[in-house]
Amino acid sequence: MKPEHKKRIHDPEFERKPMTAALLCGMAGCLCFGAGDWLMLWGDPAYLGSLRWLTEGAAEIAPWRNGLAMALAFPGILLYATALFSIEKFLHREKHRRIYCCLTAAGLLPWLCLHLFYIMILYLFAWLRQNGWEQAAFPAAQALYGHLSWVVPLSEALMLPPYGYWFWAVASDKTYLPRKLAAANPLLLFMALRLLTVCLPQSSFQIAFTNGLMSESMLLWFAALLIWAQNRKRCTSQVDR
């Protein structure tokens, strides 16, 4: 057996219980953010204008739903961070770990920023519609989005590099993970789920599911890592016997 293969089987860093707990924390964070994404848009998917997410359902959302969606983002980002910084142990070299952690640290704040950005617009839209300002609701929401729309590409430019780097690391065998697990990258999962939404009929489920695509992709990613880690633990136990 090659030394490298032995290292893949007997690496203590990611076979300890804290890694399992960290990945479960990450999945819980996905549920927090995902629940917020669904709370923000579940409802009548009919819309007017160029912004598909300014729907009739969004106009009828009770204020507590937007408030809860924002509140869930705070434990969500802490749980995300727990998992994202823990999985650096899958990387072989300290250099790659430092790069990944720096990219991850830079990408965490934009999660909250984007969440708040959309919730503020949706709350304004719903408040105007529900308080006698129906004619002003869409122009005001669209104007606010247009004025600060640069927040979206900037946030995504900071959020996405860690996942691109992770894909490169796994695909180029810079981790203890098998290369095939590069296919479980959240960016690839996002694209696959996005294609799935195109096939779904327009409905409350479809628009809420679409709004939560990144959270759902992250959930699948953490689940894939957890399943692999658990299987590797079982293999290690059998070898040790």
Side-chain angles (χ1 to χ4, degrees):
M1 183 181 291
K2 294 181 180 179
E4 181 183 358
H5 185 60
K6 287 184 179 179
K7 192 175 184 181
R8 286 177 183 272
I9 294 178
H10 298 286
D11 185 76
E13 288 189 278
F14 60 76
E15 290 179 354
R16 296 171 186 162
K17 289 183 179 179
M19 177 59 75
T20 298
L23 290 170
L24 290 173
C25 282
M27 295 171 72
C30 296
L31 295 177
C32 288
F33 266 102
D37 293 332
W38 282 59
L39 283 168
M40 287 159 58
L41 282 184
W42 180 275
D44 185 350
Y47 70 96
L48 294 173
S50 57
L51 300 178
R52 297 174 62 91
W53 43 274
L54 289 179
T55 63
E56 290 299 316
E60 299 170 0
I61 287 177
W64 69 265
R65 284 175 58 180
N66 282 322
L68 180 57
M70 192 63 234
L72 286 170
F74 289 94
I77 201 66
L78 294 175
L79 292 166
Y80 265 164
T82 300
L84 290 173
F85 285 116
S86 293
I87 64 173
E88 55 95 18
K89 295 181 179 67
F90 286 116
L91 292 160
H92 287 156
R93 298 178 58 189
E94 188 62 30
K95 171 187 174 182
H96 296 142
R97 293 182 180 190
R98 286 198 300 269
I99 294 172
Y100 166 76
C101 286
C102 288
L103 292 173
T104 297
L108 285 174
L109 184 59
W111 280 92
L112 284 176
C113 185
L114 272 185
H115 215 64
L116 177 61
F117 176 67
Y118 284 111
I119 286 175
M120 294 287 284
I121 296 173
L122 288 166
Y123 177 76
L124 173 67
F125 180 62
W127 190 91
L128 291 172
R129 283 286 299 268
Q130 295 172 21
N131 289 275
W133 299 87
E134 292 87 351
Q135 297 301 317
F138 182 77
Q142 191 170 35
L144 180 57
Y145 176 80
H147 180 61
L148 296 174
S149 59
W150 55 269
V151 169
V152 178
L154 178 59
S155 296
E156 291 177 347
L158 293 171
M159 287 168 56
L160 302 183
Y163 311 114
Y165 187 79
W166 186 266
F167 174 82
W168 169 82
V170 178
S172 58
D173 207 26
K174 299 294 190 296
T175 73
Y176 295 104
L177 302 168
R179 289 185 177 184
K180 63 183 180 182
L181 264 183
N185 188 275
L187 299 182
L188 298 181
L189 292 170
F190 179 92
M191 290 187 283
L193 292 177
R194 186 70 183 88
L195 291 174
L196 175 63
T197 63
V198 176
C199 304
L200 296 175
Q202 191 177 43
S203 64
S204 298
F205 174 84
Q206 188 265 352
I207 194 167
F209 183 77
T210 302
N211 196 47
L213 281 183
M214 195 60 195
S215 298
E216 292 142 11
S217 302
M218 295 283 286
L219 180 63
L220 294 175
W221 179 42
F222 288 137
L225 292 176
L226 180 61
I227 291 169
W228 182 86
Q230 292 300 309
N231 286 339
R232 183 56 61 190
K233 277 186 181 180
R234 282 194 287 272
C235 291
T236 302
S237 299
Q238 291 172 1
V239 169
D240 290 341
R241 290 174 188 173

